[in-house]
Amino acid sequence: MPKSKYEFIYKDLKQKIESEEYAYQELLPSENQLVLAYNCSRNTIRRAVGRLVTDGYVQTMQGKGVRNIYRPVAQTSYTIGGIESFKESSIRNHKKGRSVVLQFMELTADEKISRRTGFPVGSELYYIQRLHFLDEKPLIINHNYFLKSAACGLTPEIAENSIYEYLENTLHMTIVNSKRVMTVEKITQIDEKYLELDVNDYNCLAVITSHTYNSDGVMFEFTQSRHRPDYFRFQDNAVRRSVS
């Protein structure tokens, strides 16, 4: 099935759930209704709904339908979701976002960078340091490393808009999965400077470290995101596996 159709349906249903067009605990339209509404096959609808289930937006109920279980978070929170760009996250959090590039350079991974990022020694990389604002408040500093051969043509202008949008729409990359670790770390001088943090109020912040892979199995990105603690919230959808 064409990915564009499935992606469109998934994003459209997700937007309707987040905007509360479908109320919390309300059943979504039936499968037959969705097939007619989107003019597609049942398999395409099932794939889009399956991803909504995985992302924690809906729950399938045998014999009843698909129920919306999404609960909007407080607007003072910035919620980490699935694999998405800052631009997409800003829209999902109903915030006005913008990004400022603090550093942009091309470099070759030495042993120190290799240990930190997981890229082999000698890899040609883009290093980008960005400051992300929501509603004009600096909330996140991103330290991005992108594999140059997979993300060729990156520029500071692209980095200030949306790198993922460029990778998917211009380079036609399929982004598949991301291994993420969340830690709490001491505030650095850079954090204090750009995130406007008072160390008398906060001496630690939330740090998300991620290794992200494309459909070829290539790790094309290593990112460390450093978040203001007073505007950070992590949300996940945990599924309990059956134990035999």
Side-chain angles (χ1 to χ4, degrees), residues 185-200:
E185 300 182 11
K186 288 287 188 181
I187 289 174
T188 67
Q189 289 184 332
I190 292 176
D191 300 328
E192 185 180 357
K193 174 182 177 181
Y194 288 109
L195 296 180
E196 300 175 0
L197 291 168
D198 188 338
V199 291
N200 293 317

Side-chain angles (χ1 to χ4, degrees), residues 22-176:
Y22 300 135
Y24 175 63
Q25 294 292 313
E26 179 184 336
L27 293 177
L28 270 60
S30 70
E31 187 176 274
N32 287 338
Q33 290 173 315
L34 292 174
V35 166
L36 291 173
Y38 291 107
N39 189 28
C40 66
S41 69
R42 291 179 182 273
N43 284 340
T44 301
I45 293 297
R46 289 170 185 171
R47 187 179 178 194
V49 169
R51 184 168 170 187
L52 290 170
V53 170
T54 300
D55 291 350
Y57 280 82
V58 300
Q59 179 182 15
T60 56
M61 305 175 65
Q62 189 171 3
K64 294 184 179 180
V66 179
R67 175 175 287 172
N68 172 19
I69 60 172
Y70 172 79
R71 296 295 298 270
V73 298
Q75 291 303 296
T76 55
S77 299
Y78 180 78
T79 305
I80 298 298
I83 303 175
E84 57 189 356
S85 66
F86 176 76
K87 184 177 180 180
E88 292 167 334
S89 298
S90 303
I91 293 170
R92 181 173 55 79
N93 283 272
H94 308 291
K95 300 285 188 178
K96 179 182 178 182
R98 70 181 179 94
S99 302
V100 174
V101 173
L102 304 176
Q103 289 189 56
F104 186 99
M105 66 180 69
E106 298 179 23
L107 51 80
T108 301
D110 57 16
E111 290 187 1
K112 181 178 178 180
I113 292 173
S114 178
R115 285 195 301 270
R116 181 184 185 194
T117 66
F119 288 114
V121 172
S123 299
E124 298 294 323
L125 306 172
Y126 293 106
Y127 169 70
I128 309 167
Q129 185 184 103
R130 292 180 293 175
L131 181 61
H132 298 304
F133 293 80
L134 283 180
D135 292 344
E136 294 307 311
K137 193 168 192 68
L139 297 191
I140 306 166
I141 294 180
N142 262 1
H143 299 271
N144 306 117
Y145 293 82
F146 285 93
L147 188 63
K148 190 174 178 182
S149 61
C152 57
L154 278 184
T155 65
E157 291 74 23
I158 291 170
E160 288 193 345
N161 180 33
S162 172
I163 293 177
Y164 275 19
E165 190 174 284
Y166 170 74
L167 295 178
E168 293 179 319
N169 297 340
T170 301
L171 300 186
H172 306 294
M173 177 189 291
T174 300
I175 300 169
V176 175

